Amino acid sequence: MSGAAGQVVVFGSLNADLTVHVDRFPEPGETLSGSELVTAPGGKSSNQAATVAVLGSPARLIGAVGDDANGRFLLGRATDAGVDVSGVTTEAEHATGSAMIVVDAAGENTIIVSPGANGAHDPDTVDAEEFADAAVVCLCLEVPLRAVQAAAEHGRAAGAQVLVNLSPYADVPKQLLGLTDVLLVNRTEAALVLGRDDVGEDWSTALDGLVGLGVDRAVVTLGADGSVVLDATQTGDDRIAVVDPISVEVVDTTGCGDAFTGALAHRLAGGASLAEAARFAAQVSALAATAQGAQTSYTAFAHLKEPTRD
Ligand code: RIB
């Protein structure tokens, strides 16, 4: 491990989450009344960084906001969560990213993101120095792909483990997969990256396919069915580990995937194996589903905080 003190560097997005609760989702062309609008901190990367900090690892967020009230709100809330936001720039010519979120009575959501300043990342402005102390670099696809690739290159050069969450899904160049130490995908994303209609249940074949794309280690999340860890660096039965689902009363699934990613990064930064980290992440993301919102639900797992390493 490279980074002293197990630092996790999260490069990517910050959004103001504008959330309304409804009994059911509207049909196309239909108007429904919902609950009062709630504005809360979100964005996949900001959520991941908040998770890392809540769990007790040093978390550094690199991203961009606009010069507006939402931007100041997001920076304030991330700082309160314990995230180092000194790598977040303010882009005066863009609005802060926002996400229009509708949550139904079952806790499922639909999300439309307006990227705003998140779209302003340019590979030339991704500074290698920002990644120098990283033990783990966390990436998602809510910012331009070329900037994600630059961040992966800097993470790899620093000796960090590069964790890539292919969400929201986009086809990625093989070079980015080759820079990925741990790929985090759901079942649909796994099928897409493997170029199949369905990923199926034959995890050994799926792992072989990923290895062919340059990815040796992956976690495939399976929703209510838990997740599976695929690890070509292990031998025999240890190459595939099934992580059982954790049953909770679901209130709101917003930000649960990001909590999973952040928890995985936190444990990997502490030296855990991928299977150990995934078992812990399953617990964290299940607890995140028991309260409303993304970062606002993360108090539900704050009791799992571990002492910060020196
Ligand atoms: O993964 C949940 C997140 O997706 C929300 O916080 C929203 O901002 C969107 O980025």
Side-chain angles (χ1 to χ4, degrees), residues 13-19 40-48 97-101 109 111-113 118 140 142 165 167-168 253-259 293-295 298:
S13 59
L14 301 91
N15 291 328
D17 285 357
L18 314 176
T19 302
K44 294 189 188 306
S45 306
S46 180
N47 295 343
Q48 291 165 9
S98 53
M100 273 53 74
I101 303 179
N109 62 54
I111 304 180
I112 296 176
V113 170
N118 296 312
C140 72
E142 231 172 23
N165 179 205
S167 176
T253 58
T254 309
C256 291
D258 307 326
Q295 289 174 45
Y298 293 173

Side-chain angles (χ1 to χ4, degrees), residues 36-310:
E36 194 156 308
L37 180 76
V38 174
T39 302
K44 294 189 188 306
S45 306
S46 180
N47 295 343
Q48 291 165 9
T51 299
V52 171
V54 167
L55 291 172
S57 283
R60 181 165 166 67
L61 179 61
I62 302 168
V65 293
D67 185 10
D68 52 28
N70 278 343
R72 289 183 280 282
F73 168 67
L74 294 180
L75 291 177
R77 293 298 290 267
T79 304
D80 291 347
V83 176
D84 173 359
V85 295
S86 56
V88 179
T89 59
T90 298
E91 306 292 333
E93 65 281 15
H94 294 281
T96 295
S98 53
M100 273 53 74
I101 303 179
V102 180
V103 180
D104 77 358
E108 290 299 333
N109 62 54
T110 62
I111 304 180
I112 296 176
V113 170
S114 171
N118 296 312
H121 289 286
D122 180 311
D124 297 336
T125 60
V126 184
D127 181 0
E129 279 301 305
E130 303 264 22
F131 299 83
D133 292 329
V136 174
V137 170
C138 252
L139 304 170
C140 72
L141 304 186
E142 231 172 23
V143 293
L145 208 46
R146 287 178 59 235
V148 174
Q149 171 126 356
E153 282 164 8
H154 296 323
R156 177 56 70 88
Q161 295 189 66
V162 177
L163 170 55
V164 179
N165 179 205
L166 284 190
S167 176
Y169 186 81
D171 287 333
V172 293
K174 214 170 165 200
Q175 297 98 297
L176 177 57
L177 295 174
L179 292 164
T180 300
D181 292 292
V182 177
L183 187 71
L184 181 54
V185 282
N186 62 27
R187 177 182 273 288
T188 308
E189 293 155 358
L192 287 166
V193 77
L194 287 166
R196 301 202 199 141
D197 291 338
D198 180 21
V199 74
E201 300 297 331
D202 179 355
W203 297 116
S204 182
T205 303
L207 177 54
D208 290 344
L210 290 173
V211 170
L213 295 169
V215 177
D216 284 342
R217 298 194 296 159
V219 180
V220 183
T221 56
L222 306 171
D225 294 327
S227 59
V228 59
V229 177
L230 309 178
D231 191 342
T233 67
Q234 301 289 322
T235 53
D237 289 348
D238 291 340
R239 284 165 59 91
I240 294 162
V242 172
V243 177
D244 290 330
I246 292 168
S247 170
V248 290
E249 190 111 340
V250 173
V251 171
D252 182 353
T253 58
T254 309
C256 291
D258 307 326
F260 190 101
T261 309
L264 200 69
H266 159 72
R267 272 295 170 93
L268 290 174
S273 72
L274 188 56
E276 286 166 348
R279 279 192 284 273
F280 178 72
Q283 217 183 327
V284 168
S285 71
L287 290 170
T290 63
Q292 288 190 0
Q295 289 174 45
T296 48
S297 71
Y298 293 173
T299 48
F301 56 74
H303 61 285
L304 298 177
K305 184 179 173 99
E306 292 164 346
T308 306
R309 290 162 297 280
D310 313 317

